[in-house]
Amino acid sequence: MLADGFTWDLGSDLHQLFQFHFMVNAYRAGTVVAVVAGLIGWFLVLRRQSFVGHTLAIIAFPGASGAVLIGISAAWGYFGFCVAGALVIGAVRRGRPGEFSEESAVVGTVQAFALACGFLFVTLYHGLLEDVNTLLFGSFLGITDAQVRTLLAVGLGALIALAVIARPLRFASIDPDVAAARGVPVRVVSTVFLVVVALAVAETSQITGALLVFSLLVVPPATAQAITARPVLSAALAVAQALLATWVGLAISYFTDYPSGFTITTLAFAAYLLVHGARWMATGRHRLRLAR
Amino acid sequence: MSALASASGGLGDFFAHPFVQRALLAGTGIAAASGLVGFFVVLRGQVFSGDLLSHVAFTGALAALAYGVDARVGLFVATVGVGVGLGILGERGHAGDVVIGSVFTWVLGLGVLFVSIYTTSTAASDSTASVHVLFGSIFGLTAGQAVVAASIGVAVSLAVVAIARPLLFASLDASVAQARGVPVRLLGVGFLGLVGVCADEATQAVGALLLLGLIAAPAGAALRLTDRPWVAFWCSGALAVLAVWVGVAVSYLAPDIPPSFAIMATAAGCYAAAVVAGPRRRQAVRPRSPR
């Protein structure tokens, strides 16, 4: 795009990469988002709630486009709709202890309707149709200093809340019944966690777009948990992978014409495939040895 | 519907416009197929397979556009291929939601790549193409496309009706059906292939992101309204057709509202009304989902 092109002199590449302020801001925002998404996603995968993340992200799309329509920053729409959605999901869960029989039909309808609302708002806005692609698939162009500060402040808040509930949350995630018996307020902890997830989803949406949040929120933690079972190590690995996918993805996207949504998802997915492939090979060889 | 009645004056020359005729022709075929297929999708608990197919539809259509092929070729190859593949693999590995979600995301990421290839390769930077694939453009169909869409819709509906009896048996109790000689596996694979065709059809009407609503909402509403499977089956098809007709009419009367939104809002409204006013609070017949 604006760059002279990629060379094998990495020093001059880095110099090129950071010569424009928008790229510096993209890296700042990407770093904040990757750390927040890696840590919160780690709990999300542990609790097998990754589809909650998906649903919240889809709710974020009408939020963001509605905010643009009434003339306020899309960030407010992301945060407002995600947190409201998390509270609703938390409340609905409480009402129905058993498995609801047609849950998948409801989820499918709600998702499609939320996306349709987002499309309506974008159409009513009469803006460029390019905006739809930005909201859905993310863009690293034009991130302002104020947006980076907002991302940092909200991210820190979410991580502090996560740190407060981390121990009871881990207990409740691994064995909710025993945790409840030992006096852990499981309901409160899981609702607070949903709100924390909503904040993380809203942050991630602003970098990866509403449809691609999985690439930072779920894929890196899932890969890390496949590598090691030790909690601290795998959380650190998750953050490292999210950072790597974001940094390298942004760089590739800067030097080539490929969109950042594609490069970031592909890097995260490649790591996932690599780790699972290696595990599959290892168990296969092990089985072969046993058979002999 | 009250909107229809109160605004009937504005609907005077509704049928006179060729774009409305084409939208209704294509929309009826597409909706009938989606509603009938959707009944079994919901009954078999395969809504998330439908979700995956909708993501694949987006990527397939844009891949075809990026390489200069008709978008519908890409749609059909991608969704029918993935649908059949899903049916064959689905029995074996019980794929967790993380696996499905990771594949979803990557498929969409690929779609974004094709969007950028398409917009940079064509001189007339037509960036609205991806928006049309994502959210549909039922008023933009040509006469030829409308006829093809309607006939494929009719063909899918007939195919579903043809396999409906054994499929219902297999969906409600797979092991008994197998013992009675019903080819359960073949039916499952064939059915997901049909869902794939249906996804292509619906992509043209309401777009890849919203087709899940056209498949899930009428069927969910129908299953709320009645216990009897065949009544629910036909009711689901009828509700889907109704949603498309009302949606097209609303969008005609209020041009600011895109038809995809009006169709989805009607379908979701039917479902909400069925949940609130429906005679049954919970489903009596509840098969265990096969996946």
Side-chain angles (χ1 to χ4, degrees):
Chain A
M1 19 193 316
L2 295 159
D4 302 334
F6 183 76
T7 58
W8 287 108
D9 176 9
L10 290 177
S12 82
D13 285 339
L14 279 182
H15 179 72
Q16 252 187 62
L17 197 56
F18 292 116
Q19 70 188 4
F20 295 107
H21 191 60
F22 77 88
M23 275 316 281
V24 177
N25 268 349
Y27 268 86
R28 283 179 185 153
T31 307
V32 172
V33 165
V35 171
V36 170
L39 284 174
I40 293 173
W42 188 83
F43 278 96
L44 197 68
V45 172
L46 185 72
R47 292 169 62 84
R48 306 196 176 281
Q49 284 187 319
S50 49
F51 263 107
V52 172
H54 185 62
T55 309
L56 285 175
I58 282 179
I59 295 173
F61 172 57
S65 52
V68 172
L69 175 64
I70 61 172
I72 55 176
S73 161
W76 294 113
Y78 277 122
F79 288 125
F81 266 59
C82 277
V83 172
L87 290 175
V88 168
I89 292 174
V92 169
R93 283 263 170 90
R94 198 167 311 175
R96 299 195 194 99
E99 179 131 348
F100 191 54
S101 56
E102 33 180 76
E103 193 182 325
S104 63
V106 178
V107 171
T109 308
V110 168
Q111 285 187 0
F113 186 62
L115 288 169
C117 285
F119 182 50
L120 174 72
F121 296 152
V122 172
T123 314
L124 291 180
Y125 178 59
H126 288 303
L128 289 169
L129 283 172
E130 290 275 3
D131 293 355
V132 184
N133 284 334
T134 304
L135 291 176
L136 289 174
F137 299 116
S139 164
F140 61 92
L141 299 172
I143 297 172
T144 63
D145 291 346
Q147 276 172 317
V148 175
R149 277 197 293 276
T150 314
L151 285 176
L152 187 63
V154 174
L156 275 179
L159 287 184
I160 290 170
L162 185 70
V164 170
I165 62 164
R167 278 187 64 85
L169 181 67
R170 218 180 130 234
F171 194 6
S173 308
I174 291 168
D175 197 332
D177 295 335
V178 176
R182 291 285 292 273
V184 174
V186 176
R187 278 272 155 241
V188 176
V189 166
S190 50
T191 305
V192 171
F193 177 66
L194 276 179
V195 174
V196 170
V197 170
L199 293 177
V201 167
E203 295 225 315
T204 314
S205 305
Q206 294 175 45
I207 294 294
T208 63
L211 288 181
L212 301 180
V213 285
F214 258 51
S215 58
L216 290 182
L217 199 65
V218 172
V219 181
T223 314
Q225 289 184 10
I227 294 176
T228 169
R230 285 163 56 192
V232 176
L233 186 62
S234 71
L237 274 175
V239 171
Q241 276 178 50
L243 279 176
L244 206 64
T246 314
W247 287 347
V248 178
L250 285 177
I252 294 177
S253 178
Y254 178 77
F255 285 112
T256 65
D257 256 343
Y258 297 132
S260 58
F262 168 69
T263 54
I264 294 176
T265 37
T266 302
L267 286 170
F269 189 63
Y272 182 78
L273 279 187
L274 210 66
V275 167
H276 277 265
R279 250 167 62 123
W280 185 74
M281 296 265 281
T283 53
R285 204 173 299 149
H286 182 62
R287 248 184 251 133
L288 209 68
R289 208 176 300 145
L290 283 183
R292 268 185 218 152
Chain B
M1 272 133 279
S2 59
L4 257 184
S6 66
S8 57
L11 281 174
D13 47 358
F14 178 59
F15 294 105
H17 297 283
F19 74 93
V20 172
Q21 290 167 2
R22 291 198 287 264
L24 287 179
L25 175 67
T28 307
I30 291 167
S34 306
L36 296 180
V37 167
F39 170 76
F40 283 109
V41 171
V42 170
L43 195 69
R44 294 165 68 86
Q46 287 179 324
V47 173
F48 286 117
S49 309
D51 202 5
L52 177 58
L53 285 176
S54 68
H55 292 53
V56 171
F58 167 66
T59 304
L62 281 162
L65 283 175
Y67 293 105
V69 192
D70 184 26
R72 277 184 293 178
V73 176
L75 270 172
F76 275 91
V77 171
T79 56
V80 175
V82 170
V84 170
L86 212 61
I88 293 171
L89 291 176
E91 302 270 318
R92 248 185 286 157
H94 221 68
D97 56 353
V98 170
V99 181
I100 299 175
S102 307
V103 178
F104 270 16
T105 310
W106 187 64
V107 165
L108 278 176
L110 266 187
V112 182
L113 172 69
F114 291 130
V115 173
S116 86
I117 291 178
Y118 180 61
T119 45
T120 48
S121 70
T122 49
S125 62
D126 183 12
S127 64
T128 55
S130 78
V131 176
H132 284 163
V133 173
L134 283 171
F135 294 107
S137 57
I138 197 169
F139 282 151
L141 295 173
T142 65
Q145 284 170 331
V147 170
V148 172
S151 20
I152 294 175
V154 170
V156 170
S157 308
L158 287 178
V160 176
V161 171
I163 63 165
R165 274 189 71 83
L167 189 61
L168 182 70
F169 193 10
S171 308
L172 291 178
D173 198 330
S175 39
V176 175
Q178 189 141 37
R180 292 285 293 271
V182 175
V184 173
R185 228 179 117 74
L186 191 67
L187 270 179
V189 174
F191 175 67
L192 277 174
L194 275 182
V195 178
V197 179
C198 188
D200 308 326
E201 287 284 284
T203 301
Q204 297 168 39
V206 294
L209 286 180
L210 309 185
L211 70 89
L212 192 60
L214 199 57
I215 287 179
L223 282 167
R224 276 285 181 165
L225 289 174
T226 171
D227 269 331
R228 306 217 300 271
W230 295 124
V231 179
F233 178 66
W234 294 113
C235 183
S236 169
L239 279 177
V241 173
L242 179 78
V244 168
W245 279 64
V246 173
V248 168
V250 167
S251 173
Y252 171 80
L253 292 174
D256 261 355
I257 298 177
S260 321
F261 171 78
I263 293 171
M264 264 319 300
T266 316
C270 285
Y271 193 6
V275 169
V276 172
R280 299 183 311 138
R281 291 270 143 235
R282 251 159 214 281
Q283 248 176 271
V285 192
R286 190 62 218 150
R288 290 258 54 86
S289 59
R291 26 165 309 217

